[in-house]
Amino acid sequence: LRYCINSMGEKDRFNLVPFATEASMWKGELVPATSEHKDSALGFVAKMEARGGTNINDALVQALSMSQDKDRPLMVIFMTDGEPTIGITATKGILENVKVANKALTRLFVFGVGENLKVDLLDLLAEQNHGARDYVGSKENIEVKVSLFFEKVSSPVLSDVKIDFSGVEISDLYPKRLPDLFR
């Protein structure tokens, strides 16, 4: 997380939504990635402690509530080391709530750490919200995986990709909606 904060550019905006039993925003809105905000965020992160349950639903709904600007692409990078244990825990319920909350078509990128992940939920969150996902196991180097993941998602090349097949008959197109392309 510290790497991601330090790697943001001057034109980026961000916020943090830590979650355990409850989710809460660091700031009330997205803030510019100025050196002052990044330093404040790093201080906030340094005080975070793993405790309580894992309220994935509320964290995602809060994060997506900040994405009202449809003219500017917004990405949520969701980092978790667990499966939902508090609040709404059913995959179907979480997916439905995320769909309703994602009014601005925010891209949702998932980064899972450890062995106790609900991978089916995390895969669907990324897939249904035009994002990508990556996981790091206990025997892998987390710093390398996070830096590669962040470098990828922070460098979009093409979004809302469409292919025109006019004049050609096609069948069995997969995926139905093409993903964004990243460096």
Side-chain angles (χ1 to χ4, degrees):
L1 183 55
R2 287 187 294 272
Y3 174 83
C4 297
I5 292 168
N6 284 321
S7 297
M8 285 187 287
E10 292 177 4
K11 294 181 181 180
D12 291 331
R13 299 173 302 160
F14 76 107
N15 199 349
L16 305 171
V17 183
F19 61 99
T21 303
E22 296 179 359
S24 60
M25 288 189 224
W26 165 61
K27 297 287 186 186
E29 61 187 358
L30 296 172
V31 297
T34 62
S35 58
E36 296 83 27
H37 283 135
K38 289 198 266 187
D39 288 345
S40 176
L42 292 169
F44 180 80
V45 168
K47 294 176 185 171
M48 288 173 48
E49 294 180 14
R51 57 179 166 51
T54 306
N55 196 335
I56 288 175
N57 182 79
D58 287 2
L60 290 172
V61 168
Q62 281 191 32
L64 291 166
S65 74
M66 292 180 273
S67 61
Q68 303 303 318
D69 184 359
K70 292 184 181 181
D71 295 329
R72 185 173 176 178
L74 187 79
M75 299 178 189
V76 169
I77 298 177
F78 177 63
M79 303 174 107
T80 183
D81 67 350
E83 58 183 271
T85 60
I86 300 290
I88 296 172
T89 59
T91 296
K92 184 176 180 181
I94 293 170
L95 291 172
E96 184 59 35
N97 289 340
V98 166
K99 181 179 180 180
V100 169
N102 196 356
K103 294 177 179 73
L105 303 178
T106 298
R107 273 74 170 154
L108 177 58
F109 297 92
V110 174
F111 191 84
V113 179
E115 316 302 328
N116 298 322
L117 300 168
K118 192 166 185 177
V119 175
D120 61 329
L121 167 64
L122 301 177
D123 285 351
L124 288 168
L125 284 168
E127 180 183 317
Q128 292 179 8
N129 293 281
H130 319 294
R133 85 280 186 258
D134 203 354
Y135 304 106
V136 60
S138 58
K139 293 182 169 71
E140 295 179 275
N141 184 323
I142 190 169
E143 292 176 10
V144 170
K145 291 281 274 207
V146 168
S147 62
L148 290 173
F149 179 76
F150 187 78
E151 288 301 318
K152 174 185 174 180
V153 302
S154 66
S155 303
V157 176
L158 293 173
S159 63
D160 297 322
V161 178
K162 293 178 179 67
I163 297 177
D164 181 0
F165 292 103
S166 58
V168 177
E169 188 175 320
I170 63 166
S171 64
D172 300 328
L173 179 64
Y174 181 82
K176 295 260 184 228
R177 181 176 174 156
L178 296 172
D180 294 341
L181 299 176
F182 297 88
R183 183 177 65 182

